[in-house]
Amino acid sequence: MAKIIYTHTDEAPLLATYSFLPIVEAYAAKAGVEVETRDISVASRILAQFGLADDALGELGDLAKTPEANIIKLPNVSASIPQLKAAIKELQEKGYDIPDYPESPSTDAEREARAKYDKVKGSAVNPVLREGNSDRRAPASVKNYAKAHPHRMGAWSADSKTAVATMGEHDFRANEKSVVLPADDTLTIKLVGADGTETVLKDGLAVLEGEVVDGTYMDVAALRRFLVEQVARAKADDVLFSAHLKATMMKVSDPIVFGHVVQAFFPTLFEQYGEQLAAAGISPNDGLGALLSAVDELPEGEAIKAAVQQGLAEGPALAMVDSDRGITNLHVPSDVIIDASMPAMIRIGGHMWGPDGEEHDTLAVIPDSSYAGVYQAVIDDCKANGAYDPATMGSVSNVGLMAKAAEEYGSHDKTFEIPAAGTVQVLNSAGEVLIEHDVQPGDIWRACQTKDAPIRDWVKLAVTRARAAGVPAVFWLDETRAHDRNLIEKVKTYLAEHDTDGLTIEIMPPAEATTYSVERIRRGEDTISVTGNVLRDYNTDLFPILEVGTSAKMLSIVPLMNGGGLFETGAGGSAPKHVQQLVKENYLRWDSLGEFFALVPSLELYAEQSGKPGAKVLAAALDRATETFLNEDKSPTRRVGGIDNRGSHFYLALYWARELADQTDDAALAEAFAPLAATLAEKEQQIVEELIAVQGQPADIGGYYQPDPEKASAVMRPSKTLNESLATL
């Protein structure tokens, strides 16, 4: 039976759901549309590992492989280790019998617990649900709004010292080797030690005919030299030092790299106290904040804190996450996520915030060079041509290869911190070596997989979008990179299966493709970027943040390969700050526009799946209501006293009810919604006053990672008049 599954996730998106979902359920029920929820929050996923909650993620993963799938997926926490530990602590305090996170498991019970927690941390949700490739673009209504109401862009100076620093050699990109499997097989990854011992790192790795398998490693000695040089460079150039990684999605490799950044910035600290910190289980991978919190219990605690202050004083100025609270770029590995932090820096003129609370030029350190050139190309363009103008600029939409955990985002279970010198080998079932690398202790080695069927589907989606949009589509692939060479061959083969007459379809290296796209942007022209999984993530933040001010306003459709649909609602990078503001002053600034957009194609798909035309009427009315919502500027204002997330939901409900009452395709629905539309219009002032009246005081939601449903609902639905009006449906 057809149904829409609405996901409960985390932080601000979850709180917004307590306000918006009752509206959706009330409207949907009048058209016979079934809406159910599934809890895939980090708290629920932790509890499911220990049999204390349903495995909702596993259930949705199975559903995503069926034609019946119709899932609305809100942003979720991709938990870093500090976030995971915080969630565990909160759940323990609520009475759940779950173990601590074992940093260095030494018993079978600890190893079992660690294995369970490893299934939750990082990007555990997206690889399970994304059984299709990605189609992300700014809806016309959003683009038109941005042109009519351009957001603020910081000025760029031609003599800006802001730059990207990247290794360019001895990194993941430089060391990559790639093979295409000639037949179904089972691979083994092993480490052959310099002393002849063999350690199996991964066995039973099933692969399919035509699958692309890559192996690569980060040379950690070269990484450490590079990082020391960049700390010195930032100091010499008198710019802020910042590191930009993806410690959430790249949950094994990037926290390790982050730890090396912390050590490079505080060399004296780790020379003097590295052994004591390690003995106490304090890892630089968890960030400076975790270190400072933990050292109070050590005999040398005060001396260690003094060494940190000395490092801050002697090194370059550190970019800040929150200068008022002293939270630096290196405090928490999940605080500075590259796909959100780099566009924000570019948008405000190449600046980040310094310890003095002012904006400064910045050295953005992106160690691996696979995609760093994309950001440098945009910076170079801004230095030469100034800031972009949202009122006139074109768009870069994206078709992303992500199905079946493609590429780097599927590498977590095949990423290893090498314990001893030797050679890592990838062998087929016949014992033949397909890929091998000589490695040293501490090197970070990883393998990635990209199956053939998703590549073929990706090419098809790119051609479909290029024809529908009538604009050039560019595959961001570099023939000098091993993985990309294999993809280029497949792309050329599969493009030949389609009618591409009259279409402009190009293949360019990422930095060159960036320059091509931003040149078109300045002329007001649109381009489709056709990219792999990581660049999909980067581009669907980079261009929307520049074009429309946020990536939360994107239409994100995943046509699932087996026929269903997954509808994503934007990015959640700013969600933690929104929750903090709500708890402090009962004001939620989160913008639910992404949910409004996602619900339209979800309802359209439901109409196809169920044969219920009322769902299509709901969708069309919601589409028109959302455009009115934008034109009337009813998104949340920035501070207490204006409408927040709850007020924006009220106005969407008002405009949606009005559109349903006025439509002529379904007389029964028009009749059902006419009284509600009249009531909401009549009581608009009263409802808005009730929503604003609660602002300014602390709000109790009963938990951060697992809010109390009754408390959260009470906080997010404070208007008695609105609640009673909806109940009349």
Side-chain angles (χ1 to χ4, degrees):
M1 180 182 291
K3 59 185 70 171
I4 293 173
I5 305 295
Y6 209 98
T7 56
H8 277 287
T9 56
D10 303 283
E11 298 179 324
L14 172 60
L15 293 172
T17 298
Y18 280 107
S19 169
F20 184 51
L21 188 58
I23 297 169
V24 173
E25 290 172 329
Y27 284 47
K30 296 305 289 185
V33 175
E34 290 196 46
V35 180
E36 295 184 359
T37 60
R38 296 292 186 277
D39 188 346
I40 58 169
S41 65
V42 68
S44 179
R45 289 184 281 122
I46 289 170
L47 296 177
Q49 288 297 318
F50 296 93
L52 299 171
D54 292 336
D55 182 13
L57 179 60
E59 178 192 347
L60 292 188
D62 292 337
L63 178 63
K65 296 170 184 165
T66 71
E68 294 76 35
N70 190 337
I71 303 166
I72 295 180
K73 190 261 170 186
L74 280 74
N76 64 280
V77 166
S78 294
S80 64
I81 291 176
Q83 288 173 304
L84 189 61
K85 289 177 178 176
I88 292 166
K89 183 172 184 288
E90 179 178 315
L91 290 170
Q92 289 171 337
E93 290 171 351
K94 286 176 177 284
Y96 290 103
D97 183 17
I98 55 174
D100 290 338
Y101 177 83
E103 197 76 61
S104 303
S106 58
T107 67
D108 287 345
E110 288 178 345
R111 280 186 283 271
E112 182 182 355
R114 175 64 177 265
K116 290 179 186 293
Y117 285 133
D118 283 349
K119 292 178 182 177
V120 178
K121 74 183 181 188
S123 180
V125 171
N126 291 336
V128 174
L129 297 185
R130 287 173 170 168
E131 287 289 325
N133 292 309
S134 168
D135 171 9
R136 280 196 97 188
R137 56 192 187 273
S141 56
V142 169
K143 190 67 179 173
N144 291 338
Y145 178 83
K147 287 182 174 182
H149 306 87
H151 49 273
R152 187 181 73 84
M153 300 285 274
W156 271 88
S157 166
D159 58 3
S160 167
K161 293 189 285 185
T162 290
V164 171
T166 192
M167 291 175 70
E169 57 184 6
H170 308 301
D171 59 1
F172 287 126
R173 187 201 181 284
N175 293 326
E176 186 174 71
K177 297 179 181 180
S178 180
V179 295
V180 180
L181 275 297
D184 294 4
D185 206 342
T186 303
L187 308 184
T188 301
I189 304 172
K190 69 179 181 181
L191 172 64
V192 181
D195 59 0
T197 58
E198 295 191 2
T199 304
V200 173
L201 300 176
K202 178 86 175 177
D203 60 5
L205 182 58
V207 291
L208 300 175
E209 179 183 350
E211 187 163 341
V212 180
V213 175
D214 314 314
T216 187
Y217 74 100
M218 173 75 77
D219 180 329
V220 164
L223 169 67
R224 293 180 70 89
R225 288 194 299 272
F226 164 78
L227 293 171
V228 168
E229 289 167 2
Q230 303 320 309
V231 172
R233 174 183 170 184
K235 178 82 170 177
D237 291 350
D238 192 25
V239 295
L240 300 179
F241 176 94
S242 64
H244 301 262
L245 296 162
K246 187 77 170 175
T248 50
M249 294 290 268
M250 301 307 300
K251 61 185 179 183
V252 180
S253 60
D254 281 23
I256 299 171
V257 176
F258 185 85
H260 287 296
V261 180
V262 174
Q263 292 175 76
F265 197 90
F266 297 97
T268 305
L269 167 67
F270 286 93
E271 285 167 12
Q272 293 180 340
Y273 301 106
E275 290 183 10
Q276 294 95 318
L277 292 169
I282 300 170
S283 171
N285 300 7
D286 292 345
L288 185 59
L291 183 152
L292 289 170
S293 296
V295 297
D296 283 337
E297 299 177 13
L298 299 184
E300 311 91 345
E302 289 305 315
I304 290 172
K305 287 183 178 180
V308 169
Q309 292 305 314
Q310 180 184 347
L312 290 171
E314 294 177 350
L318 255 181
M320 304 297 284
V321 170
D322 188 334
S323 55
D324 291 343
R325 296 165 58 207
I327 299 175
T328 72
N329 174 275
L330 300 181
H331 259 63
V332 183
S334 56
D335 265 358
V336 184
I337 302 300
I338 180 171
D339 42 325
S341 59
M342 287 300 297
M345 182 185 82
I346 292 166
R347 181 183 155 181
I348 63 171
H351 298 153
M352 293 186 74
W353 298 97
D356 59 0
E358 301 295 328
E359 295 179 19
H360 298 278
D361 289 349
T362 304
L363 181 65
V365 178
I366 306 172
D368 180 54
S369 59
S370 295
Y371 311 112
V374 168
Y375 296 111
Q376 185 63 57
V378 179
I379 289 169
D380 289 344
D381 178 73
C382 289
K383 286 182 182 179
N385 301 299
Y388 301 104
D389 181 359
T392 61
M393 66 192 292
S395 283
V396 178
S397 56
N398 180 262
V399 171
L401 172 61
M402 68 179 191
K404 307 281 186 187
E407 303 183 321
E408 293 96 332
Y409 285 171
S411 67
H412 318 311
D413 61 341
K414 300 173 288 292
T415 301
F416 310 97
E417 191 170 21
I418 299 301
T423 303
V424 176
Q425 298 179 335
V426 180
L427 303 98
N428 64 15
S429 57
E432 298 166 330
V433 176
L434 305 180
I435 294 171
E436 66 178 349
H437 293 99
D438 293 333
V439 291
Q440 296 298 318
D443 287 351
I444 308 163
W445 190 95
R446 75 176 182 216
C448 308
Q449 297 168 261
T450 313
K451 299 189 184 303
D452 186 63
I455 298 171
R456 187 187 293 255
D457 180 77
W458 175 56
V459 173
K460 174 186 172 184
L461 183 57
V463 173
T464 301
R465 286 296 308 138
R467 189 165 297 285
V471 301
V474 181
F475 285 85
W476 293 37
L477 296 169
D478 185 351
E479 63 183 5
T480 68
R481 180 179 170 186
H483 168 80
D484 286 11
R485 273 197 303 275
N486 283 327
L487 255 64
I488 288 170
E489 288 304 309
K490 286 180 175 287
V491 166
K492 289 178 177 177
T493 299
Y494 296 143
L495 278 173
E497 298 176 353
H498 300 279
D499 175 12
T500 58
D501 285 352
L503 303 182
T504 300
I505 297 181
E506 308 276 2
I507 299 174
M508 299 181 190
E512 185 181 322
T514 305
T515 300
Y516 173 84
S517 300
V518 296
E519 286 174 353
R520 289 179 58 82
I521 273 179
R522 289 191 183 276
R523 296 196 296 267
E525 298 171 345
D526 299 344
T527 316
I528 300 169
S529 67
V530 189
T531 71
N533 209 349
V534 172
L535 269 178
R536 170 200 59 78
D537 218 357
Y538 292 5
N539 282 6
T540 56
D541 272 315
L542 173 61
F543 293 108
I545 286 172
L546 298 177
E547 291 172 29
V548 300
T550 174
S551 58
K553 295 181 178 180
M554 297 294 283
L555 177 61
S556 182
I557 299 174
V558 182
L560 298 173
M561 290 171 62
N562 289 330
L566 175 69
F567 306 95
E568 300 185 310
T569 67
S574 59
K577 292 181 180 178
H578 294 334
V579 180
Q580 292 161 10
Q581 185 178 14
L582 176 84
V583 171
K584 182 179 179 182
E585 52 190 19
N586 203 347
Y587 187 89
L588 187 67
R589 210 173 78 222
W590 177 258
D591 192 338
S592 294
L593 197 58
E595 283 106 292
F596 307 166
F597 291 136
L599 191 53
V600 172
S602 174
L603 286 165
E604 291 171 341
L605 177 61
Y606 185 91
E608 292 176 23
Q609 293 172 327
S610 67
K612 293 181 179 178
K616 196 164 186 178
V617 174
L618 279 182
L622 176 56
D623 199 25
R624 295 191 298 271
T626 302
E627 186 150 6
T628 302
F629 174 91
L630 283 166
N631 290 334
E632 295 294 329
D633 200 15
K634 295 303 183 184
S635 289
T637 55
R638 295 188 66 83
R639 55 183 59 86
V640 169
I643 63 162
D644 71 348
N645 177 264
R646 297 164 288 194
S648 72
H649 292 163
F650 158 65
Y651 278 105
L652 191 279
L654 168 62
Y655 302 145
W656 194 5
R658 187 181 292 165
E659 291 290 347
L660 284 164
D662 291 344
Q663 55 81 29
T664 57
D665 294 324
D666 189 319
L669 276 179
E671 185 179 348
F673 278 92
L676 178 64
T679 299
L680 294 181
E682 177 190 340
K683 299 183 177 179
E684 174 186 353
Q685 192 61 36
Q686 183 178 344
I687 291 170
V688 170
E689 287 174 0
E690 289 174 356
L691 293 171
I692 292 178
V694 299
Q695 296 177 12
Q697 302 298 319
D700 178 12
I701 55 174
Y704 185 92
Y705 291 98
Q706 192 193 53
D708 178 273
E710 289 189 10
K711 289 182 177 180
S713 182
V715 168
M716 292 306 300
R717 303 189 70 199
S719 170
K720 185 170 181 284
T721 306
L722 175 57
N723 299 343
E724 290 176 348
S725 300
L726 289 173
T728 63
L729 282 177

